[in-house]
Amino acid sequence: MTDNHDEIVSPIALEEEREAEATLRPRRLSEFIAQDRVREQLELLLQGAMRRGRPPEHILLSGSPGLGKTTLAMIIAAELGAGLRITSGPAIERSGDLAAVLTSLAPGDVLFIDEIHRMARPAEELLYSAMEDFRVDVIVGKGPGATAIPIDVEPFTLVGATTRAGLLTGPMRDRFGFVGHLEFYEPHELDILLHRSARILGIKLTDDGAAEIAGRSRGTPRIANRLLRRVRDYAEVRADGVVNAVNARAALQVYDVDELGLDRLDKAVLNALVRSFGGGPVGLSTLAVAVGEQPDTVEEVCEPFLVRAGLLARTPRGRVATAAAWRHLGLTPPDRLTFLDRLPRAGSGRADSMGDGATPIPDLFNQDP
Ligand code: ADP
């Protein structure tokens, strides 16, 4: 079992919830909620390919964990009526592992590689020729006597998923014909998602219950579905079984989920930024050391949501806590951050809503202390 207080709002899938997730996964594009742009573009891409009777171009999906990349890969295969093979960058340790997968594909199969940016370099190079020419060079022997034997691969579609498209090498990115970026979900979109999940799981969910959970789900379907299940437990054990706002608030208090749904790492980053570094600016690696995490994890998993929620800004001189972050921690923001709030007509420039995460007036942060 996991420590709920730490992991209930983690965007990463917990081991024990894989089965529950599978039940809730939409199977077709029409059931996939929100992400309208990516959905429409994919629909055109898949229908075009089916009309031509050819596999579609390779597809790269980027976005934070839990936003639906694996689900979309499964949907792509289902829409095409194609077979699906699933692997991940870290699982492919040697290029031979990848060659074995590629050469066993059936015509038209979809190959899903999760965390594709974490693939070892030699395997990545092997993938280039498979993506481009449907051919792999398998090296036989060692040293000067080593020979490359070209082996044909059936035409396939690669669906790559990454939490950060920016980490992919140029040659890899260039080989994808379609790149779709998944955004965090708005609360009203998570509302719809929660009602769908409640229907499937036979949970009585009221509108105010859905709204309460949606607002604390970190813009992430995986977290919304998990909180729904936890609130259902609470409602069944301690109340009348109905997931309404009152039960949701009480349950989420038990699980220590705050009103923004920040997870342990989010809170640690904000606390370090504000309490240890006076609100910043502070460099990513210094911040990562302070919270005992890899810089990559802080940058890929934690920061996108904090920026989106208007709690953290990335500036040329480092990471900065916004006035909203100070307030969220129950502290009074320093004057330099509330300066704008006190100007007439400054309200629209505030960065403490779920806006687009615009960096608040970088110049203020860029002045030398
Ligand atoms: P990722 O691969 O990006 O980490 P997943 O595809 O595994 O995320 O999605 C996590 C969970 O959230 C799945 O159980 C899936 O059912 C649900 N989910 C994600 N996106 C959607 C969506 N747009 N509509 C409905 N459910 C979704």
Side-chain angles (χ1 to χ4, degrees):
M1 254 324 265
T2 51
D3 178 349
N4 288 315
H5 291 272
D6 275 359
E7 299 200 353
I8 189 162
V9 280
S10 163
I12 316 278
L14 311 178
E15 204 50 48
E16 66 268 19
E17 69 186 356
R18 295 199 193 279
E19 204 179 306
E21 282 209 340
T23 321
L24 295 177
R25 258 184 228 289
R27 313 252 168 238
R28 307 305 292 220
L29 216 42
S30 54
E31 290 175 55
F32 192 81
I33 290 158
Q35 310 289 353
D36 295 350
R37 248 173 81 86
V38 172
R39 212 155 33 95
E40 187 177 1
Q41 291 168 348
L42 273 178
E43 198 172 332
L44 291 171
L45 184 82
L46 299 181
Q47 284 185 6
M50 283 190 286
R51 271 168 188 258
R52 289 188 295 274
R54 304 269 306 272
E57 293 178 61
H58 304 301
I59 297 169
L60 179 67
L61 300 172
S62 74
S64 288
L67 297 188
K69 299 182 295 297
T70 307
T71 306
L72 271 183
M74 292 177 168
I75 288 175
I76 289 166
E79 295 283 346
L80 292 169
L84 175 69
R85 295 288 295 273
I86 298 181
T87 183
S88 77
I92 303 169
E93 285 174 11
R94 293 166 307 139
S95 50
D97 299 340
L98 181 63
V101 174
L102 287 167
T103 51
S104 67
L105 292 175
D109 272 0
V110 170
L111 172 63
F112 175 56
I113 305 185
D114 200 6
E115 296 188 75
I116 194 164
H117 59 282
R118 295 199 198 281
M119 204 156 70
R121 209 39 180 288
E124 185 176 321
E125 278 163 17
L126 186 101
L127 191 57
Y128 295 162
S129 56
M131 290 170 81
E132 210 155 75
D133 306 323
F134 300 116
R135 183 178 55 79
V136 288
D137 286 328
V138 177
I139 311 290
V140 180
K142 279 198 174 131
T147 22
I149 302 180
I151 299 181
D152 285 340
V153 172
E154 297 291 355
F156 70 103
T157 299
L158 177 68
V159 179
T162 178
T163 42
R164 283 194 43 221
L167 285 184
L168 284 190
T169 59
M172 177 65 118
R173 239 192 343 259
D174 294 346
R175 283 170 171 79
F176 286 100
F178 174 85
V179 179
H181 181 70
L182 300 188
E183 305 285 349
F184 285 108
Y185 292 62
E186 296 294 337
H188 73 268
E189 295 169 336
L190 291 179
D191 246 43
I192 300 171
L193 184 134
L194 284 162
H195 280 294
R196 173 182 176 275
S197 301
R199 252 194 329 275
I200 295 171
L201 298 174
I203 296 175
K204 287 186 220 110
L205 173 67
T206 64
D207 287 347
D208 63 355
E212 192 66 39
I213 296 172
R216 301 192 192 208
S217 297
R218 218 179 169 270
T220 306
R222 169 170 294 134
I223 300 176
N225 282 335
R226 185 187 300 145
L227 295 185
L228 175 66
R229 297 196 299 272
R230 292 293 79 80
V231 178
R232 182 223 356 225
D233 291 343
Y234 179 96
E236 285 177 354
V237 175
R238 300 249 176 108
D240 51 2
V242 177
V243 173
N244 55 28
V246 173
N247 290 339
R249 268 196 292 275
L252 296 176
Q253 198 165 8
V254 171
Y255 288 110
D256 205 15
V257 177
D258 69 18
E259 63 276 16
L260 294 179
L262 301 189
D263 72 3
R264 180 197 62 81
L265 186 56
D266 297 328
K267 288 180 200 161
V269 164
L270 287 186
N271 264 310
L273 197 49
V274 167
R275 295 184 207 271
S276 310
F277 301 106
V282 60
L284 171 66
S285 41
T286 310
L287 191 56
V289 170
V291 298
E293 268 296 348
Q294 293 296 322
D296 275 3
T297 309
V298 172
E299 197 173 19
E300 289 167 37
V301 177
C302 168
E303 282 191 352
F305 181 73
L306 292 179
V307 169
R308 160 73 185 251
L311 296 169
L312 179 141
R314 291 172 171 150
T315 75
R317 290 189 47 207
R319 275 53 177 175
V320 173
T322 64
W326 287 74
R327 291 193 197 100
H328 190 69
L329 297 177
L331 300 170
T332 309
D335 281 354
R336 70 190 148 89
L337 293 181
T338 52
F339 168 71
L340 262 196
D341 292 357
R342 284 180 273 115
L343 286 179
R345 294 171 54 235
S348 60
R350 285 174 49 172
D352 56 357
S353 65
M354 279 281 286
D356 62 2
T359 304
I361 43 164
D363 282 344
L364 282 185
F365 301 119
N366 290 330
Q367 290 157 4
D368 283 320

